[in-house]
Amino acid sequence: MEFAAGRAGHLHRSACLLTSGDTHLAEDLVQETLSRMYALWGRMSRIDNPAAYAQTVLVRTFLTQRRRYSASERPLAELPDGPALHDGNDPALRLALLQALRELPPKDRAVVVLRYWEDRSVEETAHALNVSSAAVRSRSSRALAKLRERLGGSLAELRTPA
């Protein structure tokens, strides 16, 4: 399927951010998302933007899984393998950001990923998460404050000069 091949990489990058770098869970999320998209493919003519819809399915699948697993699964240690570094980003900065994202509640993490990684508007994010625009703005503000608090001055220390 051409759509799956074209969107899989982007979906995987978003899923990695949602899962705070857990590449295995990210792969599962992408697979589940693409499976759901395949099941809907015959009705896709009614969807204006299939790529944006796939991102919405990805985020909703992530939130559903987080609710399901939150009562029974707990991470035991740090991730066994770090994120892949293909684009020359600083590993320490990337790990610090992923750790800070990991500490956010799932819904706050989803808002940050949609608003600042996917560059969606408040209204688009609200629609994707099935919440009000006010909820997105307050979650966004709260999540960014938590990220600033966790990263503090360490973000400037980790950044490599250009």
Side-chain angles (χ1 to χ4, degrees), residues 53-64:
Y53 186 73
Q55 287 298 131
T56 299
V57 171
L58 177 79
V59 170
R60 289 182 179 172
T61 301
F62 165 74
L63 292 173
T64 299

Side-chain angles (χ1 to χ4, degrees), residues 20-87:
S20 303
D22 185 337
T23 57
H24 303 291
L25 182 55
E27 290 169 2
D28 290 346
L29 280 172
V30 171
Q31 185 65 36
E32 179 70 23
T33 298
L34 292 175
S35 296
R36 290 181 184 192
M37 293 296 293
Y38 180 76
L40 294 171
W41 199 252
R43 295 178 282 175
M44 291 300 282
S45 62
R46 290 184 276 163
I47 296 174
D48 293 332
N49 187 344
Y53 186 73
Q55 287 298 131
T56 299
V57 171
L58 177 79
V59 170
R60 289 182 179 172
T61 301
F62 165 74
L63 292 173
T64 299
Q65 285 185 351
R66 295 299 353 135
R67 280 191 296 268
R68 224 181 282 148
Y69 297 139
S70 66
S72 61
E73 287 190 10
R74 299 283 183 237
L76 298 176
E78 293 296 312
L79 294 174
D81 53 353
L85 300 172
H86 300 294
D87 56 2

